[in-house]
Amino acid sequence: MGIVLIWSLIVALIRWITSKRRGAISYDSSDQTALYIRMLGDVRVRSRLGFEPERRGSHPYLYIDFRILHSRPESAGPLSARKVRRLLSFQRYLHSSRFFRGAPPQNPLYILDDDYTGQAKCMLEKVGSWNFDIFLFDRLTNGNSLVSLTFHLFNQYGLIDLFQLDMVKLRRFLVMVQEDYHSQNPYHNAVHAADVTQAMHCYLKEPKLSKSLTSWDILLGLLAAATHDLDHPGVNQPFLIKTNHYLAALYKNTSVLENHHWRSAVGLLRESGLFAHLPVEDRLKMESQLGSLILATDISRQNDYLAQFRTHLDKGDLCLGNAGHRHFILQMALKCADICNPCRPWRLSKQWSEKVTEEFFHQGDIEKKYKLDVSPLCDSQTDTVENIQIGFMTYVAEPLFVEWGRFSDTRLSQTMLGYLGLNKASWRGKLQEQTSSGDDTDPALEETDSEVLPQGSKEL
Ligand SMILES: [Zn+2]
């Protein structure tokens, strides 16, 4: 009897431990997609570490691990501890770093001297400035710009108190979000997410929005900005489709990346338990609205959103007392935040342009290597950063920011359009420099550096 009793106790204990561990990740059917993604991540890790990859189809490119493709040549060789941690996907959530997340002694900020931490804090005092240098802030926070900035904004908007958020859970959630961005991506990494979140904050402060948005709207806007490119592989949707990537199959070739960012964000929200204390209807509503915001960043649907925006502005029927209209404005604000690089001061805008071009060309190099058609804008031999930027500004950014300026006719909107025009002139100047023989360069074009001309931007 004694042995039976002890055995029953052991079985009960194992069941209890298993149920506790599962409690962190919801296993209900609607969460299967997020779980499926994690499981595939696990397969990739095992494959990299020498296990047989699980077969999921017949196409050879199905097994491309973009994280490995994007690693720099000098980083080849044995896996460093950091890389293993980065690659650990499913295991990471269940075992290792769960213990460390949010534990103050692990915070890299602690190894920085007080001066650096002080400077980062000092920068946060001007977090609403359109000239905010996110690259500098990222260096000062030792690569933790997304965690530091988003946590600060949650606190500043009073969201922690209003939604009774557990600060340890919030920090843990933000660390998970930051970790799930690929630091190897030149552009779609956590610094871009931090930049979009900072821009979103600038828009949320605009008079029309600040007087009508609810705390719920602000919470969603910031969450969507921070997670909108989560786990971005550094290649675009057409690439995923033509290589029969599992994500393209999973989301039926429609807003593949955006659906993945959304479902990944939902997975992390559920895992962190950040809103576990809210009624289930509110949590489901939050997940659904988060999806609708993130899906709006699909650039291939830009014209639909723009047409809708124009119709509202022409009719003058936007009523921000209406929750649906407020949500639409949040979608437009997130779209603007996502592609606001050309509207930043030249010194920031130029860096973003170079980074995105590097990512495009890297995709082109992979396509060449695997004898695939090189995607538009991705050929380093025929495309240039100048041409890519001028086209993007003319056909994508300008039409959007012109309409945003009609909706929110403020100094910020004017400043953004001002920088957009100046930056475009700068790229045109560079293009002309390259095509001219050299001695007939118009000196006036040298003057188009937008650092010289912004009006009223210092105060923003
Ligand atoms: Zn983005």
Side-chain angles (χ1 to χ4, degrees), residues 89 103 113 170 198 314 371 413:
S89 186
D113 60 41
L170 174 60
Q198 192 272 337
D314 291 345
K371 309 249 180 310
S413 295

Side-chain angles (χ1 to χ4, degrees), residues 187-188 192 196 228-229 297 338:
Y187 183 84
H188 286 106
H192 165 62
V196 172
H228 82 283
D229 272 331
T297 63
D338 192 24

Side-chain angles (χ1 to χ4, degrees), residues 255-371:
S255 297
V256 174
L257 285 167
E258 293 74 20
N259 270 303
H260 177 59
H261 305 320
W262 168 39
R263 296 312 303 177
S264 302
V266 167
L268 292 189
L269 275 175
R270 293 184 180 192
E271 185 181 342
S272 68
L274 182 59
F275 298 105
H277 59 293
L278 297 187
V280 68
E281 315 87 74
D282 289 348
R283 275 182 277 148
L284 291 175
K285 186 174 139 198
M286 174 184 287
E287 290 174 5
S288 157
Q289 292 191 348
L290 190 63
S292 140
L293 290 175
I294 294 176
L295 288 173
T297 63
D298 181 350
I299 210 75
S300 69
R301 296 185 58 206
Q302 162 106 338
N303 285 342
D304 300 338
Y305 284 94
L306 212 47
Q308 211 180 328
F309 201 21
R310 279 195 189 110
T311 307
H312 277 307
L313 293 170
D314 291 345
K315 287 185 182 170
D317 65 354
L318 275 171
C319 168
L320 297 187
N322 173 317
H325 285 189
R326 284 201 308 277
H327 186 74
F328 178 68
I329 290 304
L330 274 184
Q331 288 178 316
M332 298 312 295
L334 181 61
K335 286 176 67 55
C336 287
D338 192 24
I339 63 162
C340 73
N341 297 158
C343 304
R344 296 280 195 180
W346 173 251
R347 71 179 190 283
L348 301 172
S349 183
K350 181 169 176 283
Q351 291 183 66
W352 288 121
S353 304
E354 288 163 352
K355 285 172 190 298
V356 81
T357 308
E358 188 186 342
E359 196 166 297
F360 286 171
F361 287 174
H362 197 265
Q363 176 179 324
D365 291 344
I366 299 168
E367 289 167 334
K368 284 176 193 170
K369 185 176 166 188
Y370 287 92
K371 309 249 180 310

Side-chain angles (χ1 to χ4, degrees), residues 196-217:
V196 172
T197 308
Q198 192 272 337
M200 191 66 171
H201 166 57
C202 293
Y203 302 151
L204 295 176
K205 287 197 307 124
E206 288 285 77
K208 269 194 180 176
L209 285 88
S210 68
K211 70 179 179 200
S212 55
L213 293 183
T214 64
S215 298
W216 177 265
D217 299 327

